[in-house]
Amino acid sequence: MVHQRADSRLEWWKCCSIYQIYPRSFQDSDGDGVGDLNGLLSRVDYLAWLGVGAVWLSPVYRSPMRDFGYDISDYTDVDPLFGTLTDFDRLVAALHERDIKLILDVVPNHTSDQHPWFVESRSSRDDPKRNWYVWADPDADGGPPNNWLSRFGGSAWEWDARTEQYYYHAFLQEQPDLNWRNPAVRFAFADVLRFWLRRGVDGFRVDASAVLAEDPLLRDEPPNPDFDSKTPPPERFKRVFTDVRPETMSYIEEMRAMIEEFPDRALLGEVQGSIDRIGQFYDAERPRFHLPLNFLLLDTDWDATSLAAGIDQYINAIPDDAWPVWILGSHDKPRIATRIGIEQARIAAMLLFTLPGTPIFYAGDEIGMPNSVISSEEARDPFEALVPGYGLNRDPERAPMRWDGNEKAGFTSGEPWLPLGDHVKERNVAAQLSDDRSVLSLYRQLMALRQTEPTLHSGQFQPLRSQSQVLLFERCSDDRRLLIALNTTTGSHTVALHDRGMLRLSTHLDRLDEPVASQLHLRPNEGVVMEMLTSSLSVSLPGYCGSRVSKANGGISSRPSLQWVIETSD
Ligand code: GLC
Ligand code: MG
């Protein structure tokens, strides 16, 4: 199937679906049990077939792999575990040939402690690179300079016996924080970005971008009022002096200005923290990120009311002209198919591709991959070792991709670096390719629909009142009106319509182009996209959806929502 670009006036990062690949776990080519670039290269036709418009690739730089690549010892080379720069260039070319963009993960906040910059910095207090990292004297009793905690457990300060100072690390002690206040660091980092932009990458996902700067007074963090016995110890204090500091915003603006030296590139940012603050990461007086990543769908309770409220909260938290973005999975969060179950994972997929804004999903979500069950003893993630007992292990979502139902799932000829997990027989690409009602087929059809339906990316968003756990909204353009109805329960429901329509897609993939008159019957766990026949629009709704609204949030309408009558049949 040829996917036409539905609206050529939109920038690519607005109309494409983005697919995150964790390279260790995608495809191994050399039998060492760890995925690599040549493995990925052998799967680019799959990506084209699936219909993704961009790949976000987690780090492949040289790294001691303490945090599996998020601890970088050379920003301008590929780790031999993954391949070479030549392999990387071949990957860029192969993706571009298929009209797929490449977004590279970059990690500006910290390096590995093995990075030559840090090796120099810790060599002496007089070293020219001393000030490239965050060093501080002990407090009066000889302990750490203040109460700041590492996100991965314990003090965020590590004592350096040779030079008798502490260095700061927001994450592992092997991940010292760069000192972004130092212009030399910012220049060096801009050169790193230029290096990859010249190699043809189309954008970056900026790791941990909210924590680039710390309070220069090193003030103590206040207690976290929500802290109780179930809260992981690293969250004992509120992160006021280490998170989203004003200086961080200006560094992001500099990064964005640098990116603009190259045409048509995009900047995505990992901006941990509350949804209410996400708006700041878009354009201020100077532009910041194109897409500050939004994890709301992974953090919201899975029922229609909570989802409707969460979507509303997010839409209201971003500026009027900001482009929304939604994420359904990542290498840091439990898999959606495990969290809400495989039936509802189909609903989640339909939601992802019909909401206004850019959809991002994580390799394996398209086959309903579950978390792997990994015992504490088997855990590879350092987070689990450092903060055990709080369910923080990220290995379960990092288990290898399943390409077929064979013993090693087609991932490797060797021993996979993490156990494959359950349901390999039915939840693998080959099995689902031959099943035209599989989750994989659903993902592909949803992406194809989004590509051929401009209303789904540039149409207005009209929330409707959700009842009986059916999440309802519409996407509208001048001549089209699509109703999305998602049953978040295991019971069936009937939605009374004010209008006739044509069913364009059901998450069950067993009905298509079915006319619906006044009642839409939704089976358990069923979601549908319906095209409404606007000619017969109810008289009580003059100008509905056809009228332009000024709020431009990916075409979000601020019109008050309609009442829909829903009957529950069981
Ligand atoms: C980001 C990454 C995560 C990593 C951390 C430290 O949150 O997504 O995987 O551990 O940064 O680099
Ligand atoms: Mg390998």
Side-chain angles (χ1 to χ4, degrees), residues 67 70 110 152 171 175 205 207 270 331-332 394 398:
D67 193 19
Y70 285 89
H110 45 268
F152 286 160
F171 297 92
Q175 291 172 305
R205 175 264 189 189
D207 183 76
E270 184 198 23
H331 67 295
D332 292 330
R394 298 170 296 176
R398 296 176 177 180

